[in-house]
Amino acid sequence: MTRQRRAELADNLARVRERIEQAARTAGRDPDEITLVVVTKTYPAADLDLLADLGVQHVGENRHPEAADKHAQVAGVHPLVWHFVGGLQTNKAAAVARYADVVESVDRLALVTALSTAALRAGRELDCLVQVDLELEQREVRSGCRPDEVPAMAEAVAEAEGLRLGGLMALAPLGAEPRPAFERLAHVAAHLRTEHPDAGVLSAGMSGDLEAGVEVGATHVRIGRAVLGERGRSR
Ligand SMILES: *Cc1c(COP(=O)(O)O)cnc(C)c1O
C-alpha cells in the first residue's frame, strides 16, 4: 500500500512540477522563483511522510486541530515548513502560533493581535500573509480583506511584535475566471511593495488555476487535489 501510494504521489508531484515549470516558462519567469506548498488537509500524516521523502518542503493545512495532530506526528521527523491556509478563529490563534511557520489567512485586526501575543509567548516569529478577498459581490461571510483594507492590515502586521509581513494570499473567486481576479491581486501586491519592499510573497493558484497564479507573479502555489487526489474519495 505504502509503496503504491508513494508511486502515486511521486507521479502527481512530477506532473504538478511540470505544470509549474511550463507556466513559468510561458510567463517568462524562472520556475525556481515559485514555491510549491502541498495542501495536505484531510490526508493522513503518513502522506506527509511520503511527501517529505519525495522532496516536498512546504505543506499547508487549513484546520486546527487537524494541523496540530499532523505536526505532532511529523515535525520531529521531517523539517517541513508549515503553512496555515484556512480561516482562523481568534481563539485558535494561540494554538496555531505554536506550530505554524506561516499564517496565510490574516484578515482582521483581532487576529493580528492574537497571533502577535501568541508568537511572543511562544518565543517564535511568525510569517504572516494578508488574505485578500477577490469576490466582487458583497457576501455575509467574507474570508480575506477587501483590497482597500489591505494597506491598513499590512501595516498592523508589520508593526506587530512577533510577526513578519510576508505578503499576500488569495483564492480565486468562486465560479468566476481566476485570471482577472488574480490580476487585481497582482495590482494590490505591487502597491503593497511600494510601502513594504520586503513583503514579496504572493500566494495564488491552486490545483485548478495554478497557471493563472504563476502568470500574474505568484511566488507560492497551494496545491492539494492535484498531488493527493480528490478529497473525500476512497483511496
Ligand atoms: C484546499 C485549499 C487549497 C488547495 O486546493 P486544491 O484545489 O485541492 O488544490 C489551497 N488553498 C486553500 C486556502 C485551501 O483551503
Side-chain angles (χ1 to χ4, degrees), residues 138-217:
Q138 286 286 346
R139 282 160 309 139
E140 249 166 66
V141 186
R142 281 188 172 277
S143 23
C145 308
R146 289 195 321 263
D148 64 333
E149 297 167 332
V150 168
M153 198 66 54
E155 194 57 39
V157 173
E159 283 175 3
E161 283 186 85
L163 308 185
R164 229 179 351 234
L165 176 66
L168 302 179
M169 180 274 255
L171 282 81
L174 277 175
E177 270 294 306
R179 218 160 297 245
F182 283 167
E183 275 161 15
R184 279 185 279 131
L185 175 67
H187 193 74
V188 178
H191 182 72
L192 177 76
R193 283 194 294 268
T194 63
E195 293 291 320
H196 302 277
D198 295 334
V201 173
L202 187 57
S203 175
M206 318 202 303
S207 294
D209 55 22
L210 78 84
E211 286 79 5
V214 169
E215 187 171 308
V216 303

Side-chain angles (χ1 to χ4, degrees), residues 86-144:
L88 180 51
Q89 291 166 25
T90 308
N91 64 5
K92 292 181 179 161
V96 169
R98 282 195 285 273
Y99 58 81
D101 299 295
V102 188
V103 177
E104 298 205 8
S105 45
V106 176
D107 63 355
R108 57 197 194 280
L109 291 173
L111 189 54
V112 174
T113 308
L115 286 170
S116 169
T117 305
L120 283 178
R121 204 164 280 161
R124 307 189 69 221
E125 273 252 298
L126 275 184
D127 280 316
C128 291
L129 307 185
V130 173
Q131 182 173 350
V132 186
D133 184 350
L134 297 175
E135 301 282 350
L136 288 171
E137 280 125 58
Q138 286 286 346
R139 282 160 309 139
E140 249 166 66
V141 186
R142 281 188 172 277
S143 23

Side-chain angles (χ1 to χ4, degrees), residues 39 41 62 85-86 169 171 206-208 222-226 231:
V39 180
K41 63 189 183 199
N62 74 332
V85 302
M169 180 274 255
L171 282 81
M206 318 202 303
S207 294
R222 307 178 310 275
I223 310 296
R225 293 169 297 138
R231 287 178 290 275

Side-chain angles (χ1 to χ4, degrees), residues 76-94:
V77 189
H78 304 286
L80 292 163
V81 179
W82 291 74
H83 295 245
F84 194 89
V85 302
L88 180 51
Q89 291 166 25
T90 308
N91 64 5
K92 292 181 179 161

